[in-house]
């Protein structure tokens, strides 16, 4: 149960953002635009639909994907783990594709730098999702775990983006950030919500691999 505490805490932290994203998607589907928002433009049905789909799929992914990390769930109900895994991979692909269509059609509020950062984020999320399910299908559990951790880290990125802003605004009142997300803080932030976390994870995985190597050598001998 102790090992379920962190994933459950992550669900609790992510839930309000998931509900917010879902609410925006539902409003968009009903033809309602959020007040003062640049997100949904009249006369742009493709990018509006892509963004609404992306928010709904992203909401499900962000709020529920931490459940995949609970060891007891995986052990006791492997079928549930597999079923939820397929749903999360589908949600990740829909969120990423919707975001990419929106970037291609309308561009982000922050211009080319943010376009590039978010497009890279979408591609990495899609690749990690596909690699995680591919390794699971091949019954390669070591590779599956590595890709699943990359996938989880990226899936949390969208929430981390908002948490970074919340913390920064509390600490500095928003220094270096503009409404159009073109300030120095914004320029760093559009990459900093996922790249440093991925780098830390890679470092941890490679240390773990190095640590495991002598043991497997010893057991082989
Ligand atoms: C992982 C789950 C995701 C969730 C829950 C999510 C949620 C949201 C929400 C709620 C918005 C509206 C802006 C706001 O209210 O803050 C938004 C905007 C956006 N998202 Fe996502 N998103 C996710 C993943 C992604 C991915 C993978 C991409 C990359 C392709 C992406 C690209 C965008 C873009 C381009 C915008 C519009 C930015 C702008 O110009 O303001 N999102 N997202």
């Amino acid at each position: 149960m102790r090992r379920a505490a962190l994933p459950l805490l992550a669900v609790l932290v992510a839930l309000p953002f998931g509900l917010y994203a879902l609410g925006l998607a539902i409003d968009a589907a009903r033809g309602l635009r959020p007040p003062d928002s640049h997100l949904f433009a009249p006369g742009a049905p493709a990018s509006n639909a892509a963004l609404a789909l992306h928010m709904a799929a992203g909401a499900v992914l962000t709020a529920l994907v931490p459940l995949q990390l609970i060891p007891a769930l995986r052990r006791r109900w492997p079928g549930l783990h597999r079923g939820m895994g397929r749903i999360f991979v589908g949600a990740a692909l829909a969120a990423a594709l919707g975001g990419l269509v929106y970037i291609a059609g309308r561009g982000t509020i922050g211009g080319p730098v943010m376009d590039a950062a978010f497009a890279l984020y979408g591609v990495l999320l899609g690749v990690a999702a596909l690699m995680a399910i591919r390794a699971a299908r091949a019954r390669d559990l070591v590779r599956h775990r590595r890709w699943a951790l990359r996938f989880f880290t990226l899936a949390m990125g969208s929430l981390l983006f908002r948490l970074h802003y919340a913390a920064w605004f509390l600490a500095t009142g928003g220094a270096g950030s503009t409404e159009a997300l073109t300030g120095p803080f914004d320029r760093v932030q559009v990459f900093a919500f996922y790249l440093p976390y991925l780098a830390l994870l890679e470092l941890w995985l490679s240390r773990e691999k190095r640590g495991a190597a002598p043991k497997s050598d010893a057991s082989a001998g």
Side-chain angles (χ1 to χ4, degrees), residues 13-28 34-40 51-52 54-56 58-60 62-63 158-159 161-162:
V13 173
L15 207 54
F17 173 56
L19 291 174
Y20 161 76
L22 197 61
L24 280 182
I26 291 170
D27 281 354
D36 301 328
S37 170
H38 61 283
L39 292 169
F40 299 103
L51 198 62
H54 139 271
M55 284 173 188
V60 172
T62 309
S158 191
L159 171 66
F161 183 74
R162 276 84 184 173

Side-chain angles (χ1 to χ4, degrees), residues 17-18 20-22 24 37-40 51 54-63 91-92 95-103 107-110 114-115 117-123 125-126 154-159 161-162 181 193:
F17 173 56
Y20 161 76
L22 197 61
L24 280 182
S37 170
H38 61 283
L39 292 169
F40 299 103
L51 198 62
H54 139 271
M55 284 173 188
V60 172
L61 178 68
T62 309
L97 211 66
L100 290 170
V101 169
Y102 180 85
I103 293 169
T108 62
I109 188 169
M114 186 172 168
D115 288 354
F118 273 53
L120 176 64
Y121 172 54
V123 169
L125 181 71
L154 286 161
M156 289 290 106
S158 191
L159 171 66
F161 183 74
R162 276 84 184 173
L181 302 191
F193 71 97

Side-chain angles (χ1 to χ4, degrees), residues 39-217:
L39 292 169
F40 299 103
S47 67
N48 289 349
L51 198 62
L53 169 77
H54 139 271
M55 284 173 188
V60 172
L61 178 68
T62 309
L64 298 179
V65 76
L67 294 176
Q68 292 294 80
L69 300 188
I70 299 177
L73 268 188
R74 291 200 303 270
R75 266 196 313 270
R76 275 189 223 157
W77 295 290
L80 182 69
H81 178 75
R82 281 196 289 270
M84 288 201 302
R86 284 189 196 105
I87 291 172
F88 295 140
V89 168
L93 293 177
L97 211 66
L100 290 170
V101 169
Y102 180 85
I103 293 169
R106 303 256 323 276
T108 62
I109 188 169
V113 176
M114 186 172 168
D115 288 354
F118 273 53
L120 176 64
Y121 172 54
V123 169
L124 290 176
L125 181 71
V127 168
L130 289 173
M131 294 302 283
I133 204 160
R134 193 167 168 225
R137 284 211 177 123
R139 301 273 184 269
D140 186 341
L141 292 189
V142 174
R143 252 160 57 85
H144 170 64
R145 176 174 166 274
R146 286 206 195 106
W147 279 108
L149 287 173
R150 290 174 185 126
F151 176 41
F152 171 75
T153 305
L154 286 161
M156 289 290 106
S158 191
L159 171 66
L160 288 167
F161 183 74
R162 276 84 184 173
L163 292 180
H164 285 185
Y165 269 101
W168 186 251
F169 270 74
L170 274 179
T172 71
S177 176
T178 67
E179 286 244 335
L181 302 191
T182 51
F185 176 76
D186 306 311
R187 290 299 190 219
V188 173
Q189 196 43 226
V190 292
F191 291 100
F193 71 97
Y194 63 101
L195 284 184
Y197 296 101
L198 266 191
L200 279 176
L201 175 66
E202 290 308 320
L203 206 69
W204 183 65
L205 288 176
S206 72
R207 283 176 67 115
E208 191 185 59
K209 209 170 170 182
R210 276 206 306 276
K215 264 191 233 152
S216 50
D217 285 354

